[in-house]
Amino acid sequence: MSGKCPLHGHEQPLDDAYFANPYATYARLNEAGPVHRFCLPDGIPVWAVTSYDEVREWLRDQRLARHRDFANEDYTNDVPPEGVPVAPLVMEDPPEHGHTRRLVNYAFMPKRVAQLREKIDGLVADLLDDMAEAGADGQVVDLAGMFCAPLPIVMVSEMLGVPKESWDDVRRWTDDIFGRVDEVNYEAKVGFANLLRGLIAERTEEPRDDLISVWAQATDMNGEVIPAEMVMLLILSIYTGGFDSTLGALAACAVDLMNHPEHTAEFVAKPGLVPAAVEELLRRNGSVHRGFRRFAREEVEIAGQKIGLGDTVMLYVAAADRDPKHFPDPDVMDFTRPPHQHIAFGRGPHVCPGAELARLEIRIGLHALFSRFPNIRLAVPEEELEWRTSTFIRVPKALPVILS
């Protein structure tokens, strides 16, 4: 393990080596046991749960609350400045969470997602054409910037009704908001929020055929029109789950396939294998590495470890999906594993609402990418790739590749 937290004396295993390769840290933690006491890089002590059985169970157990009112004095969190939103969807608990969740689920109804296949096919083809032009004659191209990011951001932005001229700003703000390990970029949050407030005001006056317009007219449980601030937070939640995490998963899965050319050839040659293969890739490379902070409503026991009232608990889904007690030889890529056993999208009331859209984008995107460029490879050694210093969503800062 790494150094000690200067405030609390607990271990701090999430260091530079962790951000470069979190799976080595997860392997050590899983070998040591299912529950661990350590400090996050921001100095807050947490109970970290890494084993599959416990993480899967406690993702649904309401004795761990999301709302910060249940936290004890160990959890310190600065009150954000005026104008900075705090998303309720990820911090609410049932029953309040249910109504908010239904509004978000509307965006990802199975029928709506299925209708997007043709749109995704066309967008992927256009992005690959752009990459082919940029990567001609062996030129290095940024796979993250030219493919992994544009695919989900275009899909989500068009569903919402965010204009094209704002997409670059949205991506920059998202990087700034989620890309720091020990501080919050309030300037980015304010910029993002101001854009969304303006769009909501426009669609309230002149509705269009988009989700912002739908939500601007929606009502709450009491029949009152939802405040603009709530609509804004719904949009932010969609970008978190529908863009940022998909970008991270798509990039990490692409790197994984480049590292396993024998599996990549099978992946391309057998389209019927793609759905199962993507589930295995998501088990290995889910971009959301841990759930949001949870707080014990009462004294509980997790795998024999007593957790005090108000203690902060973190459920590490990425570690659980590499738990050797549940997944034999977890570091081996095996497209024949039983499908849908991973928890890369979470579980329970807070399961990722955009999971099926993410799956569709990743299936279509990866199969088309490696079919078009079967010899694509990293332009630098993998250990030289730079990843965000974030313990939440893992995203590469860039992904330099050579196409052939």
Side-chain angles (χ1 to χ4, degrees), residues 207-277:
R208 302 181 188 179
D209 184 20
D210 56 43
L211 284 172
I212 293 179
S213 299
V214 170
W215 288 334
Q217 313 298 320
T219 56
D220 61 19
M221 291 184 290
N222 299 317
E224 301 290 333
V225 174
I226 294 173
E229 292 296 294
M230 174 63 78
V231 177
M232 177 184 64
L233 295 170
L234 291 172
I235 298 168
L236 288 171
S237 298
I238 292 294
Y239 270 115
T240 304
F243 160 54
D244 203 55
S245 58
T246 304
L247 155 61
L250 191 55
C253 290
V255 172
D256 206 9
L257 282 171
M258 282 186 271
N259 287 336
H260 294 83
E262 70 285 0
H263 287 81
T264 302
E266 184 181 28
F267 182 81
V268 169
K270 300 178 180 179
L273 181 66
V274 169

Side-chain angles (χ1 to χ4, degrees), residues 141-145 171 251 255 378 380 384-388 395-401:
V141 298
D142 177 13
L143 182 63
R171 185 185 175 193
V255 172
L378 290 174
V380 299
E384 293 183 12
L385 293 176
E386 290 189 62
W387 299 80
R388 282 184 189 164
V395 173
K397 293 182 179 181
L399 200 54
V401 299

Side-chain angles (χ1 to χ4, degrees), residues 50-64:
T50 59
S51 64
Y52 179 88
D53 289 340
E54 279 72 24
V55 170
R56 189 174 187 276
E57 174 186 351
W58 286 92
L59 282 170
R60 299 191 61 163
D61 198 311
Q62 294 305 301
R63 288 177 292 173
L64 296 183

Side-chain angles (χ1 to χ4, degrees), residues 40 126 216 232:
L40 296 179
D126 290 342
M232 177 184 64

Side-chain angles (χ1 to χ4, degrees), residues 108 120 143-144 147-156 174 237-254 278 282 285-288 344-345 352-366 387-388 393-396 399:
F108 299 108
I120 296 171
L143 182 63
F147 186 74
C148 300
L151 174 55
I153 202 169
V154 169
M155 295 304 302
V156 170
T174 305
S237 298
I238 292 294
Y239 270 115
T240 304
F243 160 54
D244 203 55
S245 58
T246 304
L247 155 61
L250 191 55
C253 290
V278 166
L282 286 169
N285 304 286
S287 61
V288 179
F345 294 115
C352 176
E356 290 313 307
L357 176 58
R359 281 188 168 101
L360 190 59
E361 290 172 346
I362 293 169
R363 289 170 183 171
I364 293 174
L366 288 179
W387 299 80
R388 282 184 189 164
I393 299 178
R394 189 170 190 250
V395 173
L399 200 54

Side-chain angles (χ1 to χ4, degrees), residues 86-105:
V86 179
L89 181 67
V90 298
M91 301 312 299
E92 285 178 340
D93 298 295
E96 293 83 6
H97 175 76
H99 182 72
T100 308
R101 178 58 184 242
R102 283 192 290 274
L103 291 171
V104 173
N105 285 348

Side-chain angles (χ1 to χ4, degrees), residues 335-378:
F335 291 162
T336 67
R337 290 186 194 271
H340 298 291
Q341 288 197 2
H342 68 76
I343 46 178
F345 294 115
R347 186 171 181 261
H350 292 278
V351 66
C352 176
E356 290 313 307
L357 176 58
R359 281 188 168 101
L360 190 59
E361 290 172 346
I362 293 169
R363 289 170 183 171
I364 293 174
L366 288 179
H367 191 263
L369 173 67
F370 286 94
S371 297
R372 178 78 175 269
F373 307 115
N375 298 314
I376 186 173
R377 65 188 187 278
L378 290 174

Side-chain angles (χ1 to χ4, degrees), residues 11-89:
E11 298 287 348
Q12 283 186 301
L14 308 187
D15 56 5
D16 290 344
Y18 165 81
F19 295 119
N21 177 18
Y23 303 107
T25 299
Y26 297 151
R28 293 196 299 271
L29 291 172
N30 277 326
E31 184 177 1
V35 183
H36 317 272
R37 187 64 162 163
F38 60 67
C39 279
L40 296 179
D42 59 12
I44 294 177
V46 302
W47 293 103
V49 185
T50 59
S51 64
Y52 179 88
D53 289 340
E54 279 72 24
V55 170
R56 189 174 187 276
E57 174 186 351
W58 286 92
L59 282 170
R60 299 191 61 163
D61 198 311
Q62 294 305 301
R63 288 177 292 173
L64 296 183
R66 288 286 192 95
H67 203 286
R68 289 166 179 163
D69 285 350
F70 292 98
N72 62 22
E73 65 278 3
D74 283 343
Y75 180 74
T76 57
N77 188 50
D78 294 335
V79 177
E82 184 176 351
V84 175
V86 179
L89 181 67

